[in-house]
Amino acid sequence: MVEQTGMAAGVSERSTAVHKGARYAAAIVGAVAVGSVLAIAADTRWIYLLVYVWFGLVYGLFLQYGRFCMASAVRDLFAVGVPRMAVGVLIAVALYSLTAAAVTVAGFSTFHPNAMGWHVLIGGAIFGFGIIFTGGCASSSLYKTGEGNLGALLVVVSISFSQAVMVAAGGWLNWFVTASWTESAIAKDMPEELAVTETWFDQFLAGHIWDLKSTTVAQMLGMQDPVIAAFVGNALLSAILPTAALLIALYYLAYRKGYLRRKGIQHAGLREDVRGIWSMFTSSRNTAIAGLGLGIFAGLQMWVTGALREHYRIFNFGELLADMGYTEGLSLQYTVFEPGYWYITTQEAQWGGWVLNKLGVENMNNIFFGLDNGLPNPLINAPGFMSIGIILGAAVLALTRREFKWKVPSLETATFAIVGGILMGIGARIAMGCNIGAFFATVTNGDLSGWVFLVGMAAGGYIGVRLFNWWIDWRASRNDELAL
Amino acid sequence: MAVKFEKTGDGSYMLDVCGYVCPQPQMYTKKALQKLGVGDVLTVVFDNPSSGESIISMCESDGNDLFDQNNQNGTSSWKIRKGG
């Protein structure tokens, strides 16, 4: 009887929540729409920035729908033996590579391969270690913020500041700089406004990274035909085949045993294994759908941004901002960071950098902010608005799915969020990108450096999980209430 | 806010990991299930949606029966019967 009353109360609460959540979700979309109309009314050129806002919103919907999380992919595999997210992300890689190839063939890809070197492995490992403690990767921290998770917001803030400090700091960090980096950086003859020999990152970038090779599979194999280069070289060889190999390995290592037991199969032949692999795929369906959706929309965003650049006869949003009278925060080349597609960490570095700059820190005399990305006010930072769009899009779906809940982190969660976020920021800058910029966007465009990042990330993640496991056991042993 | 794991009756246990984010809810659930005997029921209360997906897969692959999923206003209360 008691149980029945509880259930009835639960049902009525649920239907109210749906109603209220859906109303809030509609209010968010309405507010973004009204804001967009007001911005266009003020100056039609804001359409360029609004494209980032609305694509961000769509990315947020997909990320929350698929619970797309690279941290979960690595961590759940090692921590609880669940390959679901790893499988989902890998299928997403394969599908995304096809849309990336189509975008390249159509001629509006804005992708540039990353430099290959030890830094990718080391940065990936630091990043992978950090994500175990934050509970999310760079992109999932944004979508989880949209679910009301304030600990995830703390991760975003932490990544922002640690990157901003990393790219502008000198002092003891210069201990990591070799004499040959300094020499090579000086030889690059950078503009005199930049103090390239003062910060470690500038010397690392100009004196080391710029001297490394970056290439795609199609370029390596000398593929001339653009369609073959994109679909065979960069999609099939760089993304789909390695993905297939990893998926088969995951099936045998983490899925097969449980599957055969559930089905009561004693001796499996090829037919059972094919069915098992398919079952593994379908259990990761939502993440795969999210990956496909993200791929299609990222391609679409490149196309729309390309068309707008042509329309305004610009190469970069910075020129448009200058035309509109906003020159503060532009780089020496009158540019700002604007990748034209799904990207996460660089704009977060700009947020942190902008705040530090306003607090009186001189951080425009380095290559990262001063020459390349600029430090625009967050109110006119287009990719920054894409990140805000991701948070809002995720909030819209979480509210409609009754999954939104304000969650204030405990001291333990907050500490992990800040420390893990700092490590993620450091790792992302060393590796020249996060799990999206250094892995997802690279391997899907023929750049094998992303697989090196994944190896580093998995190794860092494995060590992180071991340490986390130890932490949980230690905590449980000191707490009678837990006694796990 | 702390993790709570307690025996609530004969063969029934409760694990409350509200306020905790990935990977803690799924890791605590796995550890708690290891403590249970075959046929015992664990009620997991958590409010981190993505952990739910991991718990579903974990139960599937370990042969535990997730027989009740109650979700209200962002908080989930799921019942798992430990399999053999």
Side-chain angles (χ1 to χ4, degrees):
Chain A
M1 187 62 208
V2 174
E3 204 177 324
Q4 274 181 353
T5 321
M7 275 174 67
V11 168
S12 73
E13 213 174 304
R14 184 179 301 188
S15 52
T16 327
V18 169
H19 191 56
K20 220 157 93 183
R23 267 205 315 239
Y24 282 132
I28 291 174
V29 177
V32 177
V34 170
S36 303
V37 171
L38 290 176
I40 291 174
D43 192 323
T44 52
R45 287 171 290 188
W46 287 126
I47 185 95
Y48 198 96
L49 183 145
L50 291 170
V51 165
Y52 275 95
V53 176
W54 285 95
F55 273 98
L57 207 80
V58 174
Y59 296 146
L61 291 173
F62 278 117
L63 287 170
Q64 209 276 343
Y65 173 77
R67 306 201 193 286
F68 196 93
C69 179
M70 293 281 300
S72 162
V74 172
R75 180 198 61 215
D76 280 359
L77 188 63
F78 296 141
V80 289
V82 168
R84 190 189 60 89
M85 186 55 70
V87 170
V89 168
L90 287 171
I91 297 174
V93 164
L95 296 172
Y96 192 113
S97 73
L98 292 173
T99 55
V103 166
T104 307
V105 170
F108 46 82
S109 173
T110 52
F111 175 78
H112 297 288
N114 278 353
M116 178 78 100
W118 280 103
H119 67 282
V120 182
L121 193 70
I122 296 166
I126 298 173
F127 186 85
F129 185 78
I131 56 179
I132 303 303
F133 294 89
T134 54
C137 62
S139 46
S140 70
S141 297
L142 286 175
Y143 97 69
K144 287 179 182 181
T145 302
E147 289 177 346
N149 184 336
L150 296 176
L153 181 61
L154 211 52
V155 176
V156 174
V157 172
S158 183
I159 296 174
S160 303
F161 282 99
S162 84
Q163 287 188 94
V165 170
M166 270 297 273
V167 297
W172 63 270
L173 278 171
N174 284 340
W175 188 81
F176 292 99
V177 175
T178 67
S180 64
W181 291 5
T182 311
E183 210 174 291
S184 172
I186 293 169
K188 298 291 186 313
D189 213 9
M190 301 305 287
E192 59 184 24
E193 289 91 335
L194 304 177
V196 284
T197 53
E198 278 176 28
T199 65
W200 88 272
F201 191 76
D202 277 7
Q203 295 174 82
F204 168 64
L205 195 63
H208 179 60
I209 300 287
W210 290 356
D211 296 339
L212 296 172
K213 284 198 172 66
S214 61
T215 185
T216 62
V217 170
Q219 283 168 354
M220 273 192 288
L221 298 177
M223 293 175 161
Q224 299 295 327
D225 184 288
V227 178
I228 291 177
F231 281 95
V232 178
N234 295 344
L236 181 70
L237 297 180
S238 165
I240 298 171
L241 286 183
T243 298
L246 282 173
L247 284 168
I248 290 170
L250 281 176
Y251 171 73
Y252 278 100
L253 294 173
Y255 195 84
R256 189 172 186 260
K257 202 172 137 204
Y259 171 76
L260 295 182
R261 194 189 50 222
R262 278 204 304 285
K263 296 285 171 195
I265 301 168
Q266 299 287 337
H267 303 287
L270 185 64
R271 183 193 294 245
E272 282 79 16
D273 279 332
V274 170
R275 282 195 186 134
I277 290 173
W278 183 247
S279 147
M280 181 176 84
F281 281 13
T282 51
S283 72
S284 304
R285 197 183 55 230
N286 289 3
T287 310
I289 291 174
L292 181 64
L294 287 162
I296 291 172
F297 278 87
L300 210 56
Q301 188 183 1
M302 284 192 205
W303 179 70
V304 173
T305 306
L308 281 173
R309 282 178 188 161
E310 212 163 287
H311 174 77
Y312 289 114
R313 292 163 200 269
I314 55 167
F315 288 106
N316 180 282
F317 184 45
E319 298 160 61
L320 203 59
L321 283 173
D323 264 359
M324 292 162 81
Y326 299 99
T327 51
E328 204 193 318
L330 300 188
S331 78
L332 288 173
Q333 312 176 80
Y334 264 49
T335 57
V336 285
F337 173 69
E338 59 122 352
Y341 62 103
W342 186 32
Y343 214 92
I344 310 282
T345 37
T346 300
Q347 59 264 43
E348 292 176 353
Q350 287 178 311
W351 287 342
W354 185 81
V355 172
L356 292 177
N357 189 278
K358 291 295 151 205
L359 291 173
V361 175
E362 170 55 62
N363 57 1
M364 274 297 270
N365 60 354
N366 57 66
I367 295 172
F368 189 81
F369 291 133
L371 185 69
D372 285 346
N373 301 312
L375 262 185
N377 185 314
L379 292 173
I380 53 171
N381 187 339
F385 271 104
M386 178 163 65
S387 298
I388 293 169
I390 290 177
I391 296 176
L392 294 177
V396 165
L397 192 59
L399 282 162
T400 18
R401 296 213 286 184
R402 284 184 290 109
E403 289 177 352
F404 185 91
K405 184 182 171 189
W406 288 112
K407 276 162 281 190
V408 181
S410 64
L411 184 65
E412 182 192 348
T413 309
T415 311
F416 280 156
I418 293 170
V419 176
I422 289 173
L423 291 171
M424 284 167 73
I426 294 171
R429 288 294 40 109
I430 294 176
M432 300 286 135
C434 63
N435 51 296
I436 302 306
F439 169 68
F440 209 83
T442 54
V443 295
T444 51
N445 279 286
D447 175 0
L448 297 176
S449 75
W451 292 114
V452 178
F453 183 85
L454 185 73
V455 170
M457 196 173 105
Y462 180 76
I463 297 168
V465 164
R466 294 295 293 265
L467 202 66
F468 207 96
N469 223 343
W470 171 82
W471 164 257
I472 286 185
D473 285 341
W474 181 79
R475 258 184 101 244
S477 70
R478 288 167 54 93
N479 185 345
D480 287 341
E481 259 193 272
L482 258 167
L484 283 170
Chain B
M1 193 164 54
V3 177
K4 259 185 272 172
F5 178 56
E6 57 193 21
K7 191 166 181 168
T8 47
D10 198 21
S12 63
Y13 297 80
M14 208 266 299
L15 175 72
D16 184 347
V17 274
C18 278
Y20 282 84
V21 295
C22 286
Q24 310 204 35
Q26 54 266 47
M27 283 177 84
Y28 277 112
T29 304
K30 190 172 180 85
K31 283 179 188 292
L33 280 167
Q34 282 165 357
K35 289 271 162 187
L36 267 60
V38 174
D40 288 353
V41 171
L42 176 72
T43 306
V44 189
V45 186
F46 63 99
D47 56 7
N48 181 52
S50 51
S51 289
E53 310 278 337
S54 305
I55 292 172
I56 294 174
S57 301
M58 214 165 69
C59 288
E60 253 183 32
S61 75
D62 294 349
N64 300 313
D65 179 23
L66 174 63
F67 63 93
D68 184 35
Q69 289 170 260
N70 186 11
N71 306 308
Q72 281 175 30
N73 298 334
T75 303
S76 299
S77 175
W78 291 7
K79 289 185 194 301
I80 304 164
R81 183 173 292 112
K82 180 157 173 166

